[in-house]
Amino acid sequence: MKKTVLIIDDDVRLSEVLSRRFKAKTDYLVHCYSSASEALAHEPQSVFAVFLDMMLEDEIGLDFITQLKTHFSPEHLIIMTGYASIPTTVQAIKKGATDYLSKPVTFQALLQRLEGAQPNHEQTEPHLPMTPAQAEWEHIQRALHDNNNNISATAKALGMHRRTLQRKLQKLSPS
């Protein structure tokens, strides 16, 4: 019996590429959804793995971890995000995610996580220092976490206007 993998990501191209690779190189059965709500609208079933984007178009993936785990009982629930930060990593793991990966992530890295293999560090790219934009994003994420995701309190703690903070949060993650 084939194991089922769910990909929940609003980046249609990424979902299609991952789906094609899983189908071509593995025996996994793949279903793609552009939102967690869309995935949860389907009948409950047991799946092997869920790859969940943290920042979906109208949803925050972290808010759906518990529901997805209850609905699908996955062995692996892996958050994939371009918005990686220490507070969101901790939050995801506390809510029940089994892993947390920063985008871009290679198909090989995803397979290694599913198969329980340790990543081969010789084949990974060298770690580059954070850019100023990434450092700012990390600082904002920590402040948000410390203020229980309250935008007004976080903006006050950071010494910026609430709307400025909202604009920064709506921008794509620094790369």
Side-chain angles (χ1 to χ4, degrees):
M1 178 180 230
K2 289 187 174 189
K3 294 179 180 178
T4 302
V5 172
L6 302 183
I7 299 171
I8 304 172
D9 199 316
D10 57 348
D11 183 344
V12 177
R13 286 186 293 171
L14 174 65
S15 295
E16 288 173 353
V17 168
L18 289 177
S19 178
R20 279 195 308 269
R21 288 190 180 163
F22 271 110
K23 290 175 183 174
K25 298 183 180 200
T26 69
D27 286 334
Y28 292 114
L29 180 62
V30 180
H31 298 286
C32 298
Y33 302 99
S34 60
S35 72
S37 300
E38 181 185 353
L40 289 167
H42 289 78
E43 287 295 315
Q45 62 178 342
S46 183
V47 301
F48 181 66
V50 174
F51 292 106
L52 176 63
D53 187 17
M54 187 174 80
M55 299 298 284
L56 299 162
E57 190 167 323
D58 296 327
E59 300 173 342
I60 307 276
L62 293 175
D63 296 339
F64 290 89
I65 292 173
T66 305
Q67 289 173 291
L68 290 166
K69 285 190 67 92
T70 302
H71 197 77
F72 294 110
S73 305
E75 189 171 319
H76 301 279
L77 193 147
I78 300 171
I79 298 290
M80 300 186 309
T81 183
Y83 299 87
S85 72
I86 293 168
T88 56
T89 304
V90 171
Q91 189 178 11
I93 300 302
K94 281 183 177 179
K95 288 186 175 196
T98 57
D99 212 335
Y100 186 98
L101 300 171
S102 291
K103 288 180 182 176
V105 62
T106 65
F107 177 71
Q108 196 60 36
L110 295 178
L111 276 181
Q112 287 173 340
R113 292 308 204 282
L114 292 183
E115 295 167 359
Q118 293 300 316
N120 183 350
H121 294 290
E122 294 173 6
Q123 295 178 350
T124 59
E125 295 180 21
H127 180 70
L128 300 174
M130 268 198 262
T131 65
Q134 288 170 323
E136 178 185 34
W137 179 258
E138 179 74 22
H139 183 66
I140 289 171
Q141 289 301 309
R142 279 196 184 127
L144 251 176
H145 181 264
D146 292 346
N147 289 288
N148 297 318
N149 293 324
N150 181 312
I151 299 291
S152 296
T154 302
K156 185 176 181 181
L158 293 172
M160 68 175 67
H161 194 278
R162 179 183 52 79
R163 287 186 182 159
T164 302
L165 177 59
Q166 287 174 319
R167 279 193 299 275
K168 286 181 180 285
L169 290 171
Q170 289 175 352
K171 287 183 181 178
L172 291 176
S173 170
S175 35

